[in-house]
Amino acid sequence: MADELYLENIDEFVTDQNRVVTYKWLSYTLGVHVNQAKQMLYDYVERKRKENSGAQLHVTYLVAGNLLQNGHMCHKVAVVREDKLEAMKSKLSTIASVHVYSIQKALLKDSSPLYNTDYDIVKTNLHNCSKFSAIHCDAAVPRMPPDIPRAQTSLQGSSQRENDTGAPSAPAVNGHGPPAAKHPSQQHKGIMGMFAAKAASKPQDTNKETKAEASGVSTASSKPPTKNNIINNFFGKAAMNKLKVNPVPEQPKEEKEVVKPSVAVAEPESSPNPVVEKPGKRTESARIQQKDRKSKTKHVDRSDNEEERDPENAKRKRKRIKQLQSDSSDEEADIPPPPTPEEEKAPSPPPVTALKTELEPATMEVSAGGRKRKRKRVLKSKMFIDEEEGCMVTEKVYESESCTDSEEEFPKPKPPAAHKQPVLPMKKEPKEERKSLKKGAAPANRANKQVSIMGFFHKK
Amino acid sequence: MFSEQVAPTAQGLLGPPSAQPPTFPRVPVLGYSDCSGPFRLGERSFGRQYAHVYAVRLAGMRPTLGNDAVLRKLSELQVGEKCCVVGTLLLQPSILQEISEEHNLVPQPPLPKYIQPSDELILEDELQRIKLEGAIDVQRLVTGTIVAVYGSEQDDGRFLVEDHCFADLPPPLPWNGPTSDRFVLLASGLGLGSGSGEALLSTQLLVDVVTGQLGAEGEQSCAAHISRVILAGNLLSQNTQSRDTINKAKYLTKKTQAASVEAVKMLDEILLQLCTSVPVDVMPGEFDPTNYTLPQQPLHRCMLPLASPYATLHLVTNPYQANLDGVRFLGTSGQNVSDIFKYSSMDDYLEILEWTLLAGHISPTAPDTLGCYPFYKSDPFILTECPHVYFCGNAPRFQSKLLQGAEGQRVLLVTVPDFSTTQTACLVNLRNLTCQPITFSGFGDEDED
């Protein structure tokens, strides 16, 4: 019977999933009128208590009514726990309404879980937040239809259904509005994917790293993973510093993406790897889709590779902004930044820095022993337009490893000194320099200062 | 107002689900016209001096004052003659503060009140000024008020005041109010971005009551009679101001995002929920991202991408004046009243509100102590018509009073409390010009209230 169905649903939500079930949450989840949801909750409580008087159910109620306060007849609306219900009712001179507000298994200390539940469910349903309400307003129609899909898509984030309806009509109208709005939704997935990929790849890479070091074998296999580590270093550091748009970390990031599929092709070594690649591929395809619809591109005059990468850069930039903005928010947790990237970012810098330090001595000992060991970092010259400075930037990301660990910080001290170099004009982002300088300088100083200077001259 | 009608159905939702729960249509807006035209700035040129403001203010208000007795200009005064002079009040503050600034002493901390017994009153008209003394309370009055004083000039050049009067209530407006119960919800000081969780739940409860999600059927049907919501300023909290970033080095703050960005996103979501259900007027306040000087211009709709497509969202100026369902509303976000509070001995926000109405000017202290645009053609803050509802936002507590005027004016004065601290909003019933506060609370700690 349909009636029993909702009872079962509520039962499942409360006991199995251990949720805080508010009337609003239930109304959106089951798609019913709010009043029906309230009545359903009440019914469930009654039945459950009749069946099993020891049921572990805590109920909060909403009480509203008149209260004489400060000489005024004040209308009070309060959410109270069950044990305070009667006390509140007795304080009010007239009771306007009483109904169940929420049911949960655990006793709530304060009302913030209630707020968070409601906030989350409203956030995912923002476009029809008055659908199940008891008041319907005729005047509340959006002025311009194209704005609805824009509002929808920018909010829906992970939910797919609205995107389908909204997406086709949106692109034509508002220039970069709808595609930009859609980007964040997909980019979230992309970012999550990348974070998941990165987190998964890191332990993987660590294993490969140590193996490679121990064996001293320089195969193509260990090359990308180590590069991934360094890339991850940049990426983690960048995220932690909450920097604004920085195309350079995105270069390595995307490099990792580009590399990872190739790695997958080269050698599906162990199980994490395919898992890593799948999100990578998914984000790639998502990005390629995005690229078609992207109407705003600041990058002109590129080579093929760059063309493909640069819109992605810009998109990545937007992704970055969105990601960083949500991360850099100092406000409280009711703004839900994607929790997963945060968690994954937090563990990422410590292992990243650990990796970094262990890379340093590794290169050191190898270089001391001779020039046999090849650091699998490929020197890649990337050209892109740097919006900040309005110029074309060619950048050397990694040195090929004929030299010592000084190579690592070698590219970085170089740019500040080498602005006049005609061959390879390198102008890195100042943050990038500082970051990498900081990172590279610290282990380098520990290691061998003289060596680094020599390396500088050799490089020249 | 709310509760008596709904009591019978109060417990109606404590039962098994009914088949078809009722949906109540929101009462349609009978008539709305925005009269805040004078408060919108067209071209903004700050090249003029502020003296023009006072000149037009005096010129605008002179006709309303003092017709009975002999009216003189200051330049025509003769010693010993009883006459009436109309001019602008100037409160001369004690000079200690100025001295300390000059000599770079430790600056005085911001005080709640800046009055001192040694202040003096000076009356100034178009050409001259004269010191006042006598039956006039120096502490109560603020700079910029247009006043008519009756008395005579003394030998020492001071004017001995025997009586004074203000412009008094402006002429009344015809009453076209609704015949059935209609409510307007006034709220201010939502204070988003402050990081306080308790206030957020109360804000959510407020939105839920207005949109008809909360409450039993009776309450929801009553809530359907709320025809409008006015948010009177300070939607963002003071914490979002991030003033200290100005003092920090640029490289430290370059990459951080202003706290107000997240707060505005929250505001956008809340407004979206409200706009899908009820017309909303959003006034900017002291901490909101708009210009500082009065009249504050509306928030820009690009900040509210989710809510701005809705025709029910109105971004309006501060001060705000409009005809809602035949009732004239006039109100500010509270900067004018709090400024007068600082420079006068009056302590009660309601008293100050009433006083501004009697003085015929919304904000006499602008531009002296309150930022103001340098008007030169006309002063839009002069009250030319008597509103039916006169409110100010961000007051410390809720107060309301129905004022009756000599010419049949009826004004409901409301001080709208700051929601982030009091969790209280106001419901004004347009039919009979009464006001009821509505308080929200969750449960946090163990206290009852």
Side-chain angles (χ1 to χ4, degrees):
Chain A
M1 217 159 87
D3 292 344
E4 303 305 322
L5 200 55
Y6 74 81
L7 288 173
E8 284 172 15
N9 284 337
I10 299 178
D11 196 39
E12 183 190 330
F13 294 138
V14 175
T15 47
D16 301 339
Q17 299 178 6
N18 209 7
R19 281 180 185 277
V20 173
V21 179
T22 60
Y23 74 93
K24 207 192 279 188
W25 188 90
L26 192 70
S27 147
Y28 280 113
T29 314
L30 296 183
V32 295
H33 194 274
V34 284
N35 288 353
Q36 275 183 324
K38 296 168 195 165
Q39 287 167 325
M40 284 179 189
L41 286 178
Y42 181 75
D43 201 26
Y44 172 77
V45 171
E46 288 294 298
R47 289 197 197 196
K48 192 90 175 166
R49 291 210 169 137
K50 248 189 300 200
E51 291 168 4
N52 173 13
S53 59
Q56 177 74 341
L57 271 186
H58 287 103
V59 190
T60 58
Y61 287 88
L62 180 98
V63 184
N66 269 353
L67 176 68
L68 192 63
Q69 199 175 39
N70 298 335
H72 306 283
M73 193 50 91
C74 172
H75 187 81
K76 188 159 173 80
V77 177
V79 178
V80 291
R81 283 196 288 255
E82 199 170 7
D83 43 355
K84 303 274 193 319
L85 175 63
E86 291 307 317
M88 181 60 84
K89 273 161 76 168
S90 60
K91 271 206 306 188
L92 299 173
S93 55
T94 333
I95 297 179
S97 40
V98 181
H99 65 77
V100 177
Y101 191 86
S102 78
I103 301 181
Q104 55 278 335
K105 241 170 136 185
L107 180 65
L108 293 178
K109 280 269 167 23
D110 60 52
S111 26
S112 46
L114 300 178
Y115 174 73
N116 290 335
T117 314
D118 281 345
Y119 181 82
D120 292 335
I121 196 70
V122 167
K123 186 124 186 190
T124 51
N125 285 296
L126 268 176
H127 69 291
N128 59 352
C129 46
S130 283
K131 194 159 149 196
F132 303 114
S133 148
I135 299 181
H136 177 72
C137 179
D138 293 324
V141 285
R143 253 186 284 246
M144 292 178 292
D147 291 334
I148 308 180
R150 172 161 41 150
Q152 277 182 353
T153 54
S154 64
L155 296 166
Q156 289 309 321
S158 44
S159 73
Q160 310 293 330
R161 33 203 171 103
E162 287 79 11
N163 274 344
D164 304 61
T165 54
S169 56
V173 185
N174 252 329
H176 54 267
K182 270 194 284 294
H183 288 169
S185 62
Q186 306 257 359
Q187 285 158 7
H188 263 292
K189 268 203 315 231
I191 287 190
M192 305 285 270
M194 276 193 287
F195 272 115
K198 181 180 68 149
S201 70
K202 238 190 304 300
Q204 169 69 13
D205 294 338
T206 322
N207 294 339
K208 288 200 214 163
E209 179 71 37
T210 51
K211 264 195 302 187
E213 283 176 11
S215 63
V217 173
S218 66
T219 61
S221 65
S222 36
K223 221 166 142 169
T226 60
K227 189 164 48 147
N228 281 346
N229 291 332
I230 313 304
I231 297 167
N232 293 341
N233 290 347
F234 278 134
F235 189 66
K237 253 304 185 21
M240 287 312 285
N241 288 344
K242 299 184 189 167
L243 301 171
K244 71 171 185 200
V245 176
N246 186 355
V248 177
E250 285 140 21
Q251 288 286 3
K253 200 180 8 165
E254 107 190 340
E255 211 181 73
K256 176 182 77 165
E257 288 299 320
V258 168
V259 161
K260 269 195 308 193
S262 63
V263 171
V265 168
E267 55 211 353
E269 266 195 71
S270 56
S271 47
N273 219 350
V275 171
V276 163
E277 302 320 316
K278 277 199 218 93
K281 286 221 175 68
R282 188 176 65 216
T283 57
E284 282 247 294
S285 56
R287 266 183 285 115
I288 292 172
Q289 268 178 349
Q290 300 274 346
K291 187 179 55 120
D292 300 336
R293 286 197 224 123
K294 193 167 138 40
S295 58
K296 170 164 74 167
T297 171
K298 295 184 194 161
H299 310 288
V300 294
D301 189 24
R302 300 271 82 107
S303 64
D304 292 335
N305 269 359
E306 314 302 340
E307 260 175 36
E308 187 169 301
R309 262 196 234 115
D310 291 328
E312 293 170 351
N313 266 350
K315 270 190 308 241
R316 200 86 47 87
K317 255 182 250 169
R318 257 201 294 283
K319 277 193 253 193
R320 285 297 281 168
I321 294 174
K322 203 148 165 71
Q323 187 60 39
L324 288 170
Q325 276 184 351
S326 56
D327 290 337
S328 63
S329 133
D330 293 330
E331 306 309 327
E332 60 175 35
D334 59 346
I335 318 273
T340 342
E342 276 198 338
E343 298 157 14
E344 296 187 9
K345 254 191 273 186
S348 84
V352 154
T353 47
L355 278 170
K356 186 77 179 171
T357 52
E358 78 179 351
L359 284 172
E360 298 306 324
T363 44
M364 261 248 335
E365 76 179 33
V366 167
S367 58
R371 303 304 171 114
K372 290 187 288 227
R373 163 127 175 81
K374 301 294 180 221
R375 273 280 133 206
K376 305 344 171 236
R377 293 171 257 167
V378 177
L379 174 65
K380 265 229 170 98
S381 240
K382 290 206 198 319
M383 271 191 290
F384 55 94
I385 282 195
D386 176 15
E387 275 102 4
E388 252 188 39
E389 289 147 14
C391 60
M392 266 177 62
V393 178
T394 307
E395 179 190 354
K396 284 205 281 188
V397 181
Y398 295 112
E399 287 289 340
S400 58
E401 41 352 77
S402 54
C403 320
T404 62
D405 63 334
S406 63
E407 289 306 300
E408 232 177 321
E409 61 259 16
F410 182 67
K412 300 131 201 161
K414 224 180 165 211
H419 284 285
K420 44 199 185 314
Q421 269 191 359
V423 181
L424 280 166
M426 295 195 329
K427 255 205 304 172
K428 272 204 183 166
E429 298 286 334
K431 306 179 293 295
E432 168 82 14
E433 287 170 1
R434 276 206 301 276
K435 248 193 352 220
S436 38
L437 266 173
K438 274 187 277 192
K439 262 204 321 261
N445 289 339
R446 280 201 306 274
N448 197 342
K449 208 176 268 192
Q450 229 174 13
V451 170
S452 69
I453 295 178
M454 292 304 294
F456 180 87
F457 287 129
H458 274 213
K459 203 46 199 191
K460 258 220 155 96
Chain B
M1 52 175 5
F2 237 27
S3 315
E4 292 75 20
Q5 302 160 0
V6 309
T9 60
Q11 316 254 2
L13 289 177
L14 293 174
S18 53
Q20 192 63 2
T23 306
F24 306 98
R26 172 81 61 190
V27 287
V29 174
L30 277 184
Y32 170 72
S33 65
D34 185 359
C35 307
S36 353
F39 300 125
R40 286 192 190 248
L41 298 174
E43 53 110 46
R44 300 172 206 201
S45 104
F46 285 86
R48 281 180 218 102
Q49 292 201 354
Y50 281 99
H52 299 285
V53 183
Y54 289 116
V56 297
R57 193 181 290 176
L58 184 57
M61 296 190 63
R62 186 183 273 281
T64 58
L65 283 171
N67 295 322
D68 304 337
V70 182
L71 193 61
R72 288 255 187 270
K73 293 225 160 84
L74 274 177
S75 47
E76 303 160 359
L77 274 185
Q78 290 158 19
V79 176
E81 183 193 358
K82 284 208 191 305
C83 62
C84 194
V85 184
V86 178
T88 315
L89 274 181
L90 183 65
L91 204 61
Q92 183 139 60
S94 163
I95 56 171
L96 282 178
Q97 187 170 359
E98 295 169 25
I99 292 181
S100 76
E101 284 166 12
E102 266 179 39
H103 292 255
N104 290 330
L105 298 175
V106 174
Q108 294 182 356
L111 297 170
K113 280 213 183 276
Y114 287 96
I115 52 174
Q116 272 165 21
S118 52
D119 295 337
E120 289 185 331
L121 265 182
I122 296 177
L123 188 71
E124 177 181 303
D125 71 355
E126 290 92 346
L127 300 173
Q128 291 185 346
R129 45 164 77 172
I130 192 167
K131 281 214 178 91
L132 294 179
E133 61 184 9
I136 195 161
D137 186 356
V138 180
Q139 307 274 308
R140 264 180 71 93
L141 300 172
V142 289
T143 308
T145 322
I146 306 290
V147 70
V149 292
Y150 179 75
S152 57
E153 187 183 352
Q154 301 297 305
D155 294 330
D156 61 353
R158 290 166 175 262
F159 194 92
L160 185 63
V161 178
E162 290 176 24
D163 197 9
H164 67 283
C165 83
F166 301 103
D168 208 14
L169 288 178
L173 282 173
W175 171 254
N176 282 327
T179 45
S180 62
D181 269 346
R182 264 159 188 277
F183 301 99
V184 170
L185 184 82
L186 291 171
S188 80
L190 290 182
L192 297 173
S194 66
S196 149
E198 179 64 30
L200 284 172
L201 178 68
S202 307
T203 314
Q204 190 61 47
L205 288 177
L206 172 70
V207 171
D208 287 343
V209 167
V210 173
T211 55
Q213 309 209 356
L214 218 55
E217 284 177 16
E219 179 145 4
Q220 289 167 339
S221 76
C222 256
H225 287 101
I226 296 180
S227 67
R228 201 164 203 94
V229 172
I230 300 182
L231 297 175
N234 280 354
L235 307 156
L236 267 47
S237 118
Q238 193 170 11
N239 303 349
T240 62
Q241 295 283 288
S242 305
R243 290 257 161 85
D244 54 342
T245 55
I246 299 177
N247 301 329
K248 281 199 197 147
K250 185 98 169 132
Y251 72 93
L252 286 172
T253 58
K254 197 168 160 192
K255 308 298 179 245
T256 54
Q257 168 184 285
S260 50
V261 174
E262 283 301 328
V264 170
K265 281 193 208 157
M266 256 205 289
L267 175 68
D268 199 16
E269 285 157 14
I270 290 180
L271 284 180
L272 177 66
Q273 293 174 50
L274 279 176
C275 286
T276 50
S277 176
V278 69
V280 184
D281 296 335
V282 182
M283 292 167 60
E286 192 182 343
F287 305 126
D288 293 328
T290 182
N291 57 321
Y292 166 72
T293 53
L294 285 190
Q296 282 183 302
Q297 299 303 291
L299 298 174
H300 200 280
R301 51 182 289 267
C302 71
M303 287 194 287
L304 308 168
L306 300 172
S308 50
Y310 284 86
T312 42
L313 178 73
H314 299 105
L315 298 166
V316 295
T317 57
N318 168 32
Y320 174 52
Q321 182 168 240
N323 277 328
L324 305 178
D325 299 338
V327 177
R328 170 69 69 95
F329 273 70
L330 172 64
T332 65
S333 299
Q335 290 115 315
N336 54 336
V337 177
S338 62
D339 202 57
I340 297 176
F341 174 82
K342 274 196 274 188
Y343 291 97
S344 137
S345 63
M346 293 189 274
D347 275 329
D348 193 17
Y349 268 56
L350 192 67
E351 188 189 345
I352 297 176
L353 199 63
E354 186 180 347
W355 183 83
T356 59
L357 194 60
L358 293 173
H361 199 274
I362 297 176
S363 167
T365 52
D368 187 41
T369 44
L370 190 60
C372 172
Y373 177 76
F375 297 105
Y376 72 103
K377 281 205 195 120
S378 65
D379 186 353
F381 298 129
I382 298 176
L383 287 166
T384 48
E385 300 157 319
C386 188
H388 298 119
V389 178
Y390 185 44
F391 65 91
C392 86
N394 298 301
R397 63 184 203 279
F398 166 78
Q399 286 168 293
S400 85
K401 178 173 166 184
L402 189 62
L403 195 65
Q404 306 274 3
E407 296 172 24
Q409 302 105 328
R410 265 178 40 185
V411 191
L412 175 67
L413 302 170
V414 184
T415 58
V416 185
D418 184 51
F419 194 84
S420 56
T421 47
T422 58
Q423 283 93 44
T424 308
C426 313
L427 270 174
V428 176
N429 187 345
L430 298 181
R431 178 176 59 89
N432 53 8
L433 279 189
T434 54
C435 185
Q436 187 184 35
I438 174 166
T439 320
F440 302 89
S441 70
F443 53 91
D445 13 43
E446 291 312 314
D447 57 345
E448 290 295 289
D449 233 349

